[in-house]
Amino acid sequence: MATELQTCDFGAIEEMDPSIADGFRVIYDREVPFELRVQESADGPQQVGTLEAIKVKVLMLGDDAAPQSVRVELSSEADLFFHYTHSIDDASFQVMQEEQKLMVEFQDYPNVLIRMLNNCIKEPHSHLVVFVMQHDVNARLDFIQNMEYKFVELMSLQYTRSAEDIVQHQITYRYNAMKSRLALMQARLQEVNNLVKLKNPSLLLQLQSR
């Protein structure tokens, strides 16, 4: 019963996520190894990159078979103020599709993204994600495959640094969610303590002395 209650409580925490306040739903949420680079200008040289675990959240508006819009949010546990967003609908995807000669339709775009992100987790030496940040609000995410004899750019996504109010809402949510999860885990720990104390007091003393 306690585990069921805890699961429900975690679900309630996730419902407070500001990312889904506008009707979007989360279809992917994992940390992915990114190479982060900084570029002074669109045509300028890129600084040497640093490897970091970036939390990638893919969200969809509409049905799986006919999405209205797809949004990809990037955040970091190392930098709470790091938050970038890629938003695209069918019309803007057609422009991207033509520019990059992509052989994928918009309804398949979310699954292709997820597959590429998972490849970067499972095979980081051959599937790379490079995130290039400019000193304005723009950034670019490049999926690159190492073909041994050369690097091939598979797809590029345009990103925008999130507005200050969005960043603040995200930080507030993450803080409150962590605080709520901690309270739930402490309550669960107390339940286990009480149960062990009732059934086997000596075992509880052993656990507490470690």
Side-chain angles (χ1 to χ4, degrees), residues 193-206:
N193 277 345
N194 293 340
L195 183 61
V196 175
K197 184 178 181 180
L198 182 66
K199 299 289 187 179
N200 193 334
S202 61
L203 175 58
L204 180 61
L205 290 174
Q206 290 178 34

Side-chain angles (χ1 to χ4, degrees), residues 104-148:
V104 58
E105 299 302 324
F106 183 56
Q107 63 264 28
D108 301 317
Y109 181 56
N111 288 331
V112 169
L113 271 179
I114 289 170
R115 185 165 66 248
M116 294 174 77
L117 290 165
N118 284 336
N119 284 340
C120 293
I121 295 173
K122 292 183 293 186
E123 304 173 58
H125 298 295
S126 58
H127 292 79
L128 317 173
V129 191
V130 177
F131 190 67
V132 183
M133 297 168 286
Q134 295 173 3
H135 278 302
D136 55 11
V137 298
N138 297 314
R140 188 184 75 248
L141 185 151
D142 297 330
F143 286 102
I144 298 171
Q145 186 171 359
N146 183 355
M147 305 291 288
E148 293 187 4

Side-chain angles (χ1 to χ4, degrees), residues 32-126:
V32 182
F34 274 40
E35 182 181 336
L36 302 182
R37 297 180 184 174
V38 176
Q39 190 175 29
E40 295 289 344
S41 63
D43 300 322
Q46 298 174 13
Q47 295 180 10
V48 177
T50 58
L51 194 64
E52 289 191 27
I54 298 297
K55 187 178 179 68
V56 182
K57 189 184 293 183
V58 181
L59 303 105
M60 182 193 296
L61 182 65
D63 297 331
D64 290 346
Q68 299 174 35
S69 183
V70 174
R71 188 167 72 229
V72 187
E73 298 179 356
L74 307 180
S75 59
S76 169
E77 290 300 322
D79 180 0
L80 291 177
F81 293 90
F82 178 99
H83 199 276
Y84 284 82
T85 304
H86 160 79
S87 297
I88 197 165
D89 58 14
D90 195 6
S92 53
F93 179 78
Q94 287 182 26
V95 176
M96 174 180 162
Q97 183 185 45
E98 186 174 336
E99 288 178 346
Q100 301 186 37
K101 305 294 188 288
L102 300 177
M103 305 296 290
V104 58
E105 299 302 324
F106 183 56
Q107 63 264 28
D108 301 317
Y109 181 56
N111 288 331
V112 169
L113 271 179
I114 289 170
R115 185 165 66 248
M116 294 174 77
L117 290 165
N118 284 336
N119 284 340
C120 293
I121 295 173
K122 292 183 293 186
E123 304 173 58
H125 298 295
S126 58

Side-chain angles (χ1 to χ4, degrees), residues 162-180:
S162 301
E164 187 176 341
D165 61 327
I166 293 175
V167 175
Q168 289 179 356
H169 287 150
Q170 290 288 342
I171 292 174
T172 300
Y173 163 69
R174 289 161 72 181
Y175 173 81
N176 289 333
M178 190 176 295
K179 189 176 176 181
S180 298

